[in-house]
Structures are given as structure tokens and as C-alpha cells.
Amino acid sequence: RRKGAAVTWAGLADVAGAVALVSGALLCLAAAIGLLRFRDILSRMHAATKPQVLGVLLVLLGVGLRLRDPVDIGMLVLIGLFQLLTVPVSGHMLSRASHRTGLVDHVDGVTSPAPGDLEAIEALERDDGRPDGGTPPES
């Protein structure tokens, strides 16, 4: 063995942490680009939830591998849990609001309205989907 070439657990954790940080940052970047480039609300919602959460969790993992302090790791775990609890709820609320306002077309067999939403959907269809009662905007 050469002197100074010994592999330690701390060295492996540092390398794994750096890889997780870079991977998480790239996923967060991909999510941001998706939010800007995608056209419809459902695609943007997908970009805001799936790769963003995985990217944040990878960044948290990388920071935890680099810090290795139990107090810091506990805080990072809490941050990760809050991400896992809040992002699906916000995505669900966003999709429901877009469905109720008519941004998402109703397709039989794919989506179905909730029992209280049927009247709202019928009202939107009568109003031509405009919240101001169907009058066209002035130019």
C-alpha cells in the first residue's frame, strides 16, 4: 500500500455526499426548466412535484453525509418529512383547482368530478368557461 492512499469511511461519505448534492441540484434544475418549458398545467404540476422532491431529498442526503452530526441529521430528516407531506397535498390542491376552473378538460373514463363539482362544471360549460359570466374580454 502507498502511504496516504487508505480509503476511509469519512472519505467515502464525502464522495457519496458530493454525488448526491450534484444529482439533487441537477434534478432541481430540471424541475425548474420543466416549470418554464411545459405548456399545460398538469405537466407543470408534474415538474413541480416529482423531480423537485427527489432533488431536494438528494440534496438533504448529500448535506447529511457531509455534516455527519446527529443534531443536523435530525433536522434534515424533519425537512425531508415535511417535503414528503406537503408537496403531494399542494399538487392535489393545484390539480383540483385547475379542474374546477376549467383549465383541465373533463375526459370520460380518465377523470370524474366529485359529487359536489358536477354543478360547478355544468355552470362553467354554460358560461363558456369564463369566470365573468361568459362575456368576452374587451380589447
Side-chain angles (χ1 to χ4, degrees), residues 32-120:
I33 291 171
L35 280 173
L36 294 174
R37 299 283 309 214
F38 290 149
R39 295 175 188 250
D40 62 339
I41 188 75
L42 294 179
S43 298
R44 287 182 179 180
M45 185 180 61
H46 176 78
T49 54
K50 306 261 183 197
Q52 176 64 30
V53 171
L54 182 58
V56 167
L57 291 178
L58 281 173
V59 167
L60 293 175
L61 175 68
V63 170
L65 287 172
R66 300 280 299 191
L67 292 179
R68 293 187 285 276
D69 183 32
V71 175
D72 294 334
I73 291 174
M75 186 61 66
L76 294 173
V77 167
L78 282 176
I79 293 169
L81 284 175
F82 284 133
Q83 281 288 311
L84 289 174
L85 291 174
T86 58
V87 171
V89 173
S90 65
H92 174 76
M93 289 176 18
L94 181 64
S95 67
R96 186 172 175 145
S98 63
H99 181 72
R100 283 184 168 188
T101 58
L103 292 175
V104 177
D105 291 334
H106 174 74
V107 178
D108 289 316
V110 177
T111 60
S112 60
D117 291 345
L118 192 55
E119 294 85 26

